[in-house]
């Protein structure tokens, strides 16, 4: 029963021993704090500054006091230092009540950076889980995987000897396949009736197209331009697509921004500028700074062509910026459904362990001062999505252009 007594009831020798133990724990806690701070990407100088400012018994001390009790008494398995740190960061960020200020662990963060760049070192495959839970591959045309012998429908069993199990996440496998150009990665594949075999693929530069285009079969004079997201390659791809469509003599254009979740702001400004002669594309409001406007860039190559913009509930962020600018200037009607309503700016801070911190730092307004965040854009021509074989939203936009 002695171990459950309060301090004031302990004999002097126990108090001295307890004091010594507390000092040891304090030193160990400080060392652990240094290690965790390094893991999370904070410098030692920053941690020391925090310790100096908070002082013993203040919030940081309470944290370690509480965790000390967890380590001594918790029945289950304790999280690793990195898991503990990541959890603490997420818990603190949750207090901000902002869904877009987030912490992203190293592997998802790397995939996100690759997506925004529009290019990465990899083997060029699409991955998914089939109905039986197997990891299935589909190689890109003329990509390193296809050239090395990967076939459509091959089942991935392991990467560099690390087995793919039921709990393995698709994003984790994608991260393993990404890497420096000209480096090898060994795939263990299943292709019945052939026994499982290893195939080594040399990674190459994989480009992720963000834009597709064509002249519509049902309306030969109308070009169709679909922007899936705004990456570092989008500006160049949009210009290439417009030049190709104009070379085919189009008389109108459908810009499809449906299910475009956004991306980088600069390519969005460049894209909007292809269709606008002058003015601004958006206004950015920050907490402690004057409003900043993003002017239309000169030299747009499609400023006069009749057009309409397709939007839906998946049109968000930078895509809403483009749609809002074209709507405000009367350049093109929005056809479809109300947009998502994400008009907030996230600054992305890469931390030392490969993780990243996304912090909401500003909000966006359309040229007419309409706040996008939490409100979205209302279509000029409302058309609900239909699950039938026809794309009723596209058909209605075509009617607008040819009527």
């Amino acid at each position: 029963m002695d171990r459950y007594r309060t301090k004031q009831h302990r004999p002097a020798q126990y108090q001295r021993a307890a004091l010594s133990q507390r000092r040891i724990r304090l030193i160990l806690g400080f060392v652990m704090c240094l290690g965790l701070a390094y893991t999370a990407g904070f410098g030692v100088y920053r941690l020391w500054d925090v310790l100096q400012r908070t002082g013993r018994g203040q919030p940081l001390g309470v944290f370690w006091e509480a965790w000390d009790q967890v380590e001594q008494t918790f029945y289950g398995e304790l999280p690793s230092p990195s898991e503990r740190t990541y959890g603490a960061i997420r818990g603190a960020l949750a207090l901000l009540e902002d869904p877009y200020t987030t912490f992203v662990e190293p592997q998802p963060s790397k995939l996100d950076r690759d997506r925004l760049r529009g290019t990465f070192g990899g083997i060029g495959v699409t991955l998914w889980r089939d109905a039986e839970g197997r990891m299935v591959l589909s190689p890109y045309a003329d990509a390193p995987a296809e050239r090395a012998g990967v076939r459509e429908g091959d089942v991935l069993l392991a990467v560099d000897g690390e087995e793919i199990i039921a709990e393995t996440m698709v994003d984790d496998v994608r991260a393993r396949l990404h890497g420096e150009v000209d480096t090898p990665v060994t795939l263990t594949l299943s292709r019945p009736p052939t026994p499982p075999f290893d195939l080594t693929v040399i990674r190459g530069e994989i480009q992720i197209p963000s834009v597709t285009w064509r002249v519509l079969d049902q309306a030969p004079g109308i070009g169709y331009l679909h922007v899936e997201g705004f990456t570092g390659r989008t500006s160049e791809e949009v210009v290439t697509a417009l030049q190709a469509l104009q070379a085919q003599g189009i008389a109108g254009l459908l810009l499809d921004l449906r299910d475009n979740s956004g991306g980088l702001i600069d390519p969005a400004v460049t894209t909007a500028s292809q269709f606008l002669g002058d003015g601004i594309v958006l206004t950015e409001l920050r907490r402690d700074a004057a409003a900043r406007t993003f002017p239309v860039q000169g030299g747009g190559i499609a400023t006069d062509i009749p057009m309409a913009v397709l939007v839906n509930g998946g049109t968000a962020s930078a895509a809403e910026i483009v749609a809002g600018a074209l709507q405000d200037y009367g350049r093109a009607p929005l056809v479809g459904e109300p947009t998502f309503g994400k008009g907030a700016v996230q600054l992305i801070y890469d931390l030392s362990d490969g993780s990243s911190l996304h912090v909401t730092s500003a909000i966006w307004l359309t040229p007419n001062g309409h706040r996008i965040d939490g409100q979205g854009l209302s279509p000029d021509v409302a058309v609900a999505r239909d699950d039938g074989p026809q794309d009723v939203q596209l058909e209605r936009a075509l009617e607008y252009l040819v009527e």
Side-chain angles (χ1 to χ4, degrees), residues 89-155:
I89 294 172
R90 289 195 180 94
L93 294 180
L95 298 175
L96 302 177
E97 298 183 347
D98 173 33
Y100 307 121
T101 296
T102 58
F103 173 78
V104 184
E105 292 187 17
Q107 286 189 340
S109 180
K110 183 180 186 303
L111 293 175
D112 194 46
R113 287 193 295 270
D114 289 344
R115 179 184 64 82
L116 290 176
R117 279 198 307 268
T119 182
F120 61 93
I123 66 172
V125 293
T126 299
L127 295 171
W128 73 92
R129 289 275 190 187
D130 66 9
E132 299 177 28
R134 302 176 301 180
M135 191 79 70
V136 183
L137 302 179
S138 175
Y140 299 169
D142 199 35
E146 184 184 67
R147 293 196 297 269
V150 175
R151 297 181 186 175
E152 182 81 22
D154 282 350
V155 175

Side-chain angles (χ1 to χ4, degrees), residues 157-396:
L157 302 178
V159 177
D160 285 334
E162 188 171 346
E163 184 182 2
I164 306 297
I165 60 176
E167 292 75 23
T168 304
M169 304 296 292
V170 172
D171 277 351
D172 291 340
V173 178
R174 288 195 184 104
R176 291 187 216 167
L177 298 178
H178 288 200
E180 295 295 325
V181 172
D182 294 330
T183 60
V185 58
T186 299
L187 314 179
T188 302
L189 302 176
S190 172
R191 187 189 297 163
T194 303
F197 61 97
D198 288 343
L199 188 66
T200 298
V201 183
I202 304 300
R203 295 182 178 96
E205 184 178 74
I206 307 300
Q207 297 183 346
I208 309 171
S210 62
V211 175
T212 55
W213 71 92
R214 67 180 186 275
V215 175
L216 294 172
D217 293 334
Q218 64 269 46
I222 305 299
Y224 173 83
L225 177 62
H226 181 208
V227 182
E228 297 181 3
F230 291 96
T231 73
R233 294 172 41 83
T234 303
S235 299
E236 177 185 347
E237 291 176 351
V238 166
V239 170
T240 298
L242 288 174
Q243 290 173 337
L245 291 170
Q246 289 172 335
Q248 297 181 61
I250 61 170
L253 177 71
L254 288 183
L255 175 61
D256 193 347
L257 298 178
R258 291 176 296 182
D259 298 317
N260 181 323
S261 60
L264 302 175
I265 187 59
D266 287 344
V269 171
T270 302
T271 297
S273 297
Q274 301 307 318
F275 310 108
L276 298 171
D278 54 25
I280 64 171
V281 178
L282 73 146
T283 299
E284 183 179 278
L285 302 181
R286 293 183 178 271
R287 184 181 66 184
D288 299 321
R292 176 190 179 192
T293 58
F294 289 72
V296 171
Q297 300 171 2
I301 64 174
T303 57
D304 298 321
I305 188 169
M307 63 183 297
V309 181
L310 293 166
V311 296
N312 65 5
T315 304
S317 190
E320 290 176 288
I321 287 297
V322 175
L326 297 179
Q327 183 183 50
D328 277 7
Y329 285 114
R331 179 66 182 85
L334 306 187
V335 181
E337 300 161 295
T339 63
F340 183 82
K342 181 187 180 297
V345 184
Q346 280 73 49
L347 295 179
I348 301 176
Y349 299 95
D350 293 330
L351 305 180
S352 63
D353 68 341
S355 60
S356 63
L357 186 65
H358 299 218
V359 181
T360 298
S361 61
I363 62 169
W364 289 326
L365 307 178
T366 68
N368 287 346
H370 174 74
R371 176 171 175 158
I372 295 173
D373 199 54
Q375 301 178 22
L377 304 172
S378 297
D380 300 286
V381 182
V383 183
R385 176 172 287 182
D386 190 339
D387 293 331
Q390 297 296 321
D391 187 339
V392 294
Q393 295 172 337
L394 185 147
E395 295 296 332
R396 181 63 186 89

